[in-house]
Amino acid sequence: MGVLFRSEETLVSELEQLRRKLVACGGIQRRKDGEEFKSLKSKLIDDAEEKVVCVTSGVSFLGSAIVNELLVHGYSVRVIVDNPEDVNKLDETTSGRPNVTVVVAKLTDVNSLVEAFNGCRGVFHTSSSIDPAGLSGYTKVMSEVEMRSTENVMEACARTETVRNCVLTSSLLACIWRDQPESTGTSRVVDHGCWSSFQLCQDKKLWFALGKLKSEKVAWKIAQESGLKLATICSPLITGSNFHSRNSTPTMAYLKGAREMYKNGLLATVDVTKLAKAHVCIYEELKENGSGRYICFDRVISTVDEATKLAAEIRVPVGTIVETTLPIDSPIPFQLSNKKVSDLMSRSNLGRSCLNENRFY
């Protein structure tokens, strides 16, 4: 009888599959037990345990806005930073705010994330991996780094007994890079059900889009295996007060392919404060039954005048965004829709408050 030898790569793959199954089984059982326990508790929104959440990269442009919005709504926020220097930055801005704690944890280390998440009911993962050496701030290698970071965060959420819900900041770029509708029968409407093409992103070297696409896919895979409740928010280009000085590198990474986005009717923006409010509204709904994907924008750039104003805001040449030689009556192949997030927010008390203050497009 012969002896069958398996390659090291095959063994590693089998071990990884076994590990995922064990995590999934533990997560599902833990969540079943947690739901039974939760049913015996008061469902008051002011329950202190239910109001403890964690935000990754709380010093980022979006992360700090989400932290501020959570504090407004009575949450206790644990902010994760990558290095001690960021702790000092946050200490300066959060001084005198007892509901904020800062924790140093590496997105490359699942165990440190589990320790940081312990005691939190929910996690907001907002981080983008940016490579300052890249021409646009984001390289092909960084798309893999971002996917691995998101995978680690989701694995840590699945392993942490107290965590029930996760909100992941994805990107509209994970939805819009698809084949043209006239050639493939693709729907003209781009909504939460649309996914970008891996091949198209690779062919066009859209590494930021590819990183967001891969990250969101791995997040949904782990959520389904573990029973973790997940919502992903696909945001467009983020703008707001002082955003150029605080968000310049991600902006340049996002704008790769901007001319084609504009031509296709898919170049959109969202104010950082409105986006932060949407994160909190969706998290509130997630605790009940609001899981899923959401596209969130408040402006579509559809004219040369609008493109010129945006270029001035973000301090780039207008030619980065639009070909000014395009015919005025050029047909627009696609139409963006954020009906799902608008409907959800209109149904909830917190959402109605957000909509009254900041109407989405």
Short mmCIF file of all heavy atoms in Angstrom, two decimals, residues 78 80 103-105 109-120 156 160:
data_model
loop_
_atom_site.label_atom_id
_atom_site.label_comp_id
_atom_site.label_asym_id
_atom_site.label_seq_id
_atom_site.Cartn_x
_atom_site.Cartn_y
_atom_site.Cartn_z
N ARG A 78 -14.52 53.53 22.92
CA ARG A 78 -13.13 53.10 23.04
C ARG A 78 -12.48 53.29 21.66
O ARG A 78 -12.92 52.70 20.68
CB ARG A 78 -13.07 51.63 23.46
CG ARG A 78 -11.69 51.15 23.87
CD ARG A 78 -11.77 49.73 24.39
NE ARG A 78 -12.66 49.62 25.54
CZ ARG A 78 -13.09 48.47 26.05
NH1 ARG A 78 -12.70 47.33 25.51
NH2 ARG A 78 -13.88 48.45 27.09
N ILE A 80 -9.38 53.02 19.06
CA ILE A 80 -8.16 52.27 18.79
C ILE A 80 -7.22 53.11 17.91
O ILE A 80 -7.63 53.67 16.90
CB ILE A 80 -8.46 50.95 18.08
CG1 ILE A 80 -9.12 49.98 19.06
CG2 ILE A 80 -7.20 50.31 17.51
CD1 ILE A 80 -9.37 48.61 18.51
N VAL A 103 -7.01 53.20 23.28
CA VAL A 103 -6.28 51.94 23.39
C VAL A 103 -5.35 51.79 22.19
O VAL A 103 -5.75 52.04 21.05
CB VAL A 103 -7.25 50.74 23.43
CG1 VAL A 103 -6.49 49.43 23.48
CG2 VAL A 103 -8.19 50.85 24.61
N VAL A 104 -4.12 51.39 22.44
CA VAL A 104 -3.18 51.09 21.35
C VAL A 104 -3.31 49.62 20.99
O VAL A 104 -3.17 48.75 21.84
CB VAL A 104 -1.73 51.40 21.76
CG1 VAL A 104 -0.77 51.03 20.62
CG2 VAL A 104 -1.57 52.88 22.12
N ALA A 105 -3.62 49.36 19.72
CA ALA A 105 -3.73 47.98 19.24
C ALA A 105 -3.35 47.95 17.76
O ALA A 105 -3.59 48.90 17.03
CB ALA A 105 -5.15 47.45 19.42
N ASP A 109 -2.56 42.35 14.47
CA ASP A 109 -2.50 41.41 15.60
C ASP A 109 -3.91 41.13 16.11
O ASP A 109 -4.50 41.98 16.80
CB ASP A 109 -1.62 41.98 16.70
CG ASP A 109 -1.41 41.03 17.87
OD1 ASP A 109 -2.10 39.99 17.92
OD2 ASP A 109 -0.58 41.33 18.74
N VAL A 110 -4.45 39.96 15.78
CA VAL A 110 -5.82 39.63 16.17
C VAL A 110 -5.97 39.61 17.69
O VAL A 110 -6.97 40.10 18.24
CB VAL A 110 -6.25 38.28 15.57
CG1 VAL A 110 -7.64 37.88 16.07
CG2 VAL A 110 -6.26 38.34 14.05
N ASN A 111 -4.99 39.07 18.39
CA ASN A 111 -5.09 38.95 19.85
C ASN A 111 -5.17 40.32 20.51
O ASN A 111 -5.92 40.52 21.48
CB ASN A 111 -3.90 38.17 20.40
CG ASN A 111 -3.96 36.70 20.02
OD1 ASN A 111 -5.04 36.13 19.87
ND2 ASN A 111 -2.81 36.07 19.86
N SER A 112 -4.39 41.28 20.01
CA SER A 112 -4.44 42.62 20.60
C SER A 112 -5.79 43.28 20.32
O SER A 112 -6.31 44.04 21.14
CB SER A 112 -3.30 43.49 20.08
OG SER A 112 -3.52 43.90 18.74
N LEU A 113 -6.38 42.97 19.17
CA LEU A 113 -7.71 43.50 18.86
C LEU A 113 -8.78 42.88 19.75
O LEU A 113 -9.70 43.57 20.21
CB LEU A 113 -8.03 43.25 17.39
CG LEU A 113 -7.23 44.07 16.37
CD1 LEU A 113 -7.47 43.56 14.96
CD2 LEU A 113 -7.60 45.55 16.46
N VAL A 114 -8.68 41.58 20.00
CA VAL A 114 -9.63 40.92 20.90
C VAL A 114 -9.59 41.57 22.27
O VAL A 114 -10.63 41.85 22.88
CB VAL A 114 -9.32 39.41 21.00
CG1 VAL A 114 -10.15 38.77 22.13
CG2 VAL A 114 -9.60 38.70 19.69
N GLU A 115 -8.39 41.83 22.74
CA GLU A 115 -8.24 42.48 24.05
C GLU A 115 -8.84 43.88 24.03
O GLU A 115 -9.50 44.30 24.99
CB GLU A 115 -6.75 42.56 24.41
CG GLU A 115 -6.48 43.11 25.79
CD GLU A 115 -5.01 43.09 26.16
OE1 GLU A 115 -4.22 42.44 25.44
OE2 GLU A 115 -4.65 43.74 27.17
N ALA A 116 -8.64 44.60 22.93
CA ALA A 116 -9.18 45.96 22.83
C ALA A 116 -10.70 45.96 22.73
O ALA A 116 -11.37 46.85 23.27
CB ALA A 116 -8.58 46.66 21.62
N PHE A 117 -11.27 44.98 22.04
CA PHE A 117 -12.72 44.91 21.84
C PHE A 117 -13.47 44.37 23.05
O PHE A 117 -14.68 44.56 23.16
CB PHE A 117 -13.05 44.01 20.64
CG PHE A 117 -12.59 44.53 19.31
CD1 PHE A 117 -12.55 43.68 18.20
CD2 PHE A 117 -12.20 45.85 19.14
CE1 PHE A 117 -12.13 44.14 16.96
CE2 PHE A 117 -11.77 46.33 17.91
CZ PHE A 117 -11.73 45.46 16.82
N ASN A 118 -12.79 43.69 23.95
CA ASN A 118 -13.46 43.04 25.07
C ASN A 118 -14.24 44.05 25.91
O ASN A 118 -13.71 45.06 26.35
CB ASN A 118 -12.42 42.33 25.96
CG ASN A 118 -13.09 41.48 27.01
OD1 ASN A 118 -14.12 40.85 26.77
ND2 ASN A 118 -12.51 41.47 28.21
N GLY A 119 -15.52 43.76 26.11
CA GLY A 119 -16.39 44.65 26.87
C GLY A 119 -17.23 45.56 25.99
O GLY A 119 -18.16 46.20 26.47
N CYS A 120 -16.92 45.59 24.68
CA CYS A 120 -17.69 46.42 23.74
C CYS A 120 -18.82 45.60 23.11
O CYS A 120 -18.66 44.42 22.83
CB CYS A 120 -16.78 46.96 22.64
SG CYS A 120 -15.50 48.10 23.22
N ALA A 156 -11.39 39.17 15.11
CA ALA A 156 -11.39 39.59 16.52
C ALA A 156 -12.81 39.81 17.02
O ALA A 156 -13.14 39.44 18.15
CB ALA A 156 -10.56 40.87 16.68
N THR A 160 -14.54 37.78 20.17
CA THR A 160 -14.81 38.54 21.39
C THR A 160 -16.25 38.31 21.83
O THR A 160 -17.20 38.64 21.12
CB THR A 160 -14.57 40.04 21.16
OG1 THR A 160 -13.26 40.23 20.62
CG2 THR A 160 -14.67 40.80 22.47
#
